[in-house]
Amino acid sequence: MALATASLRRLSLFTFSPSQSHAPQTLISLVRKRNPTLLTLRYFSSPFRPLCSASPFASLRTSGPSKELYLYNTMTRTKEQFEPRDPSKVGMYVCGVTPYDFSHIGHARAYVTFDVLFRYLQYLGYDVCYVRNFTDIDDKIIARAKESNEDPLSISARFCDEFHFDMSALQCLPPTYEPRVSYHIDQIIDMIKKIIENDCAYVVDGDVYYSVDKFPAYGRLSGRSLEDNRAGERVAVDQRKRNPADFALWKAAKEGEPSWESPWGQGRPGWHIECSAMSYVYLGHTIDIHGGGQDLIFPHHENEIAQSCAACKESSVRFWVHNGFVNVDKEKMSKSLKNFTTIRQVMELYHALALRFFLLGTHYRTTINYSREQLDTASDRLFYIYQTLHECEVLLSAEEKPIAAEDSPPKTSECLQKLNRELRVCMSDDLHTPMVLSALSDPLKRINDLLHTRKGRREERRMESLCALERQLRVVLGILGLMPASYAEILQQLREKALVRAGLTEAQVLEKIEERTSARIQKQYERSDEIRRELEARGISLMDNPDGTSWRPTSPLPVEEL
């Protein structure tokens, strides 16, 4: 859309130079001065704190051609080579939650997806400014507050903390900045002023509406024609609008609702304007990556484009990245359909990293169908990975002299080279995490051979091989956000969750093991097998070894196999 030159000159609110790649310091300082706690990342204290620092790959950074990365761009509907505006820095904005309830698995998928992208960009050597917002003022929050007779901002603050707990449990790294709408009212009002000055919005009885007719490119991201567009799903059709598709930038105050003073009277921001204003504050006119779920393509992201361009013609997003839905019985999981399972509900029965593993097992753009069976499989696979690495760690820690991981034999070097090659090829091809998870199989098998087979235990430079394999697997698990603080601790946590799912205590399992041992001594093999099957049906697998019988979690044996 062509904006008058004179109008563009009046865009003096934002003093940020387009040549910069990160947040305008003048505005960040202003926000910090008004709200000292805003830029402090206050994650809810929990035993699931992120186990990597904000830059976990500093020692592994690379440069040059190795930075090659292809991402699917929703705007162009093609995979394109990712090239940020600044060769060394990336600005990424991801739409956050509306905190009025506990977050569900659909939210988990979105933020695990962009956490992996955040981690991989750092691994490639980029300095990433990752911004993820909170919509802490919204119709849904206000409605919930009325139901519970609670202050809307108190509700949103509480569920922001709950969201932090869930993200921490999933090992999602904290974003660089995490702004909230209620802390950026001044910046939102100033942007709306600019949109009105540029004749792209109009005022009706204290409400401000964006005029979609002023933006001929409206609908390009979603593929909708202007004639087909209707009001957004959160906005009832208002006969005062010039076009039914026009959307609210500012809403006049209603009795009992939070409101702020503005040139148009008391009111509050519309849903979409917040992201345009806050992304500008922290990232400037040009964003390298703007992300969110597919359900945000229209109307939210479509409206963001329109209003951002109305405020500043140079506004642009280089890559629009969207993750797919999580389905339950072939329907999208959402709070509006009331078919959602919260992250907290999943964590009652499964370790949060089992949920993360399950989500990474499907490409981020593909629809994923949630089921307990898939979580069982993910949890089982995680236990195998951590058990293998724990046994390796125990053996290596018993060595008295330092081990040179670089001095590994050809077979191990070949295995590592293959792992590294598949990591880079798969992750650089639009974050193909399922293929990376598959690539873990060979090095894990190699470790188990070196640990347990007669041939492996006799292999030359065995310890060097184990050290190199374990070290490189740490790197890969770190990129995927699956690296625990302690193998021993997470194995115990996985065992505890398995007992909860089985409805058993460890003492009860040990009693069953004793009963089975007694049956075998008395040659009651049918009873022995029966006890094994009973436990397997509940997700408990028995393992016989020279020292006796132990147990580990497993996927429950289907009833038809009993």
Side-chain angles (χ1 to χ4, degrees), residues 6-27:
S7 296
L8 287 174
R9 290 199 187 101
R10 290 199 297 272
L11 299 180
S12 56
L13 157 69
F14 302 126
T15 58
F16 177 57
S17 168
S19 64
Q20 292 175 272
S21 64
H22 288 322
Q25 294 303 313
T26 53
L27 288 183

Side-chain angles (χ1 to χ4, degrees), residues 126-167:
Y126 290 110
D127 178 10
V128 186
C129 182
Y130 175 19
V131 182
R132 185 184 68 209
N133 72 299
F134 277 119
T135 302
D136 65 340
I137 297 295
D138 181 85
D139 293 341
K140 293 182 178 180
I141 295 173
I142 293 170
R144 180 61 59 87
K146 288 179 179 178
E147 291 174 7
S148 59
N149 195 27
E150 193 174 349
D151 176 65
L153 289 175
S154 295
I155 282 183
S156 58
R158 175 158 51 88
F159 282 110
C160 284
D161 285 342
E162 300 292 359
F163 174 81
H164 283 152
F165 182 94
D166 291 341
M167 292 301 103

Side-chain angles (χ1 to χ4, degrees), residues 87-123:
S88 63
K89 297 179 180 179
V90 173
M92 181 169 73
Y93 187 93
V94 176
C95 291
V97 296
T98 301
Y100 69 97
D101 203 344
F102 290 102
S103 298
H104 57 64
I105 302 173
H107 296 129
R109 189 178 196 194
Y111 303 119
V112 165
T113 293
F114 291 101
D115 179 65
V116 170
L117 179 55
F118 182 32
R119 290 167 179 269
Y120 191 60
L121 288 168
Q122 290 183 87
Y123 173 74

Side-chain angles (χ1 to χ4, degrees), residues 181-230:
V181 176
S182 62
Y183 295 166
H184 292 76
I185 300 297
D186 290 347
Q187 291 76 33
I188 291 170
I189 290 173
D190 287 340
M191 178 171 271
I192 295 172
K193 285 181 184 178
K194 294 304 173 184
I195 296 172
I196 293 173
E197 287 176 16
N198 288 321
D199 193 30
C200 292
Y202 55 93
V203 183
V204 181
D205 302 328
D207 293 326
V208 182
Y209 291 103
Y210 181 89
S211 178
V212 297
D213 292 323
K214 299 287 185 176
F215 191 57
Y218 189 80
R220 182 184 168 200
L221 180 69
S222 61
R224 295 169 178 247
S225 66
L226 192 57
E227 291 75 20
D228 292 338
N229 288 321
R230 293 293 181 266

Side-chain angles (χ1 to χ4, degrees), residues 337-386:
L337 294 175
K338 297 182 180 180
N339 66 344
F340 65 92
T341 300
T342 66
I343 299 169
R344 206 64 60 85
Q345 288 172 325
V346 173
M347 288 166 53
E348 290 174 2
L349 297 174
Y350 297 90
H351 197 286
L353 289 189
L355 174 58
R356 185 176 180 114
F357 189 97
F358 158 69
L359 295 171
L360 295 178
T362 300
H363 188 262
Y364 78 90
R365 286 192 290 113
T366 304
T367 298
I368 187 171
N369 201 60
Y370 167 76
S371 71
R372 284 277 303 270
E373 291 75 18
Q374 293 214 52
L375 280 178
D376 286 331
T377 301
S379 186
D380 185 44
R381 182 64 180 171
L382 267 189
F383 192 91
Y384 164 71
I385 292 171
Y386 297 141

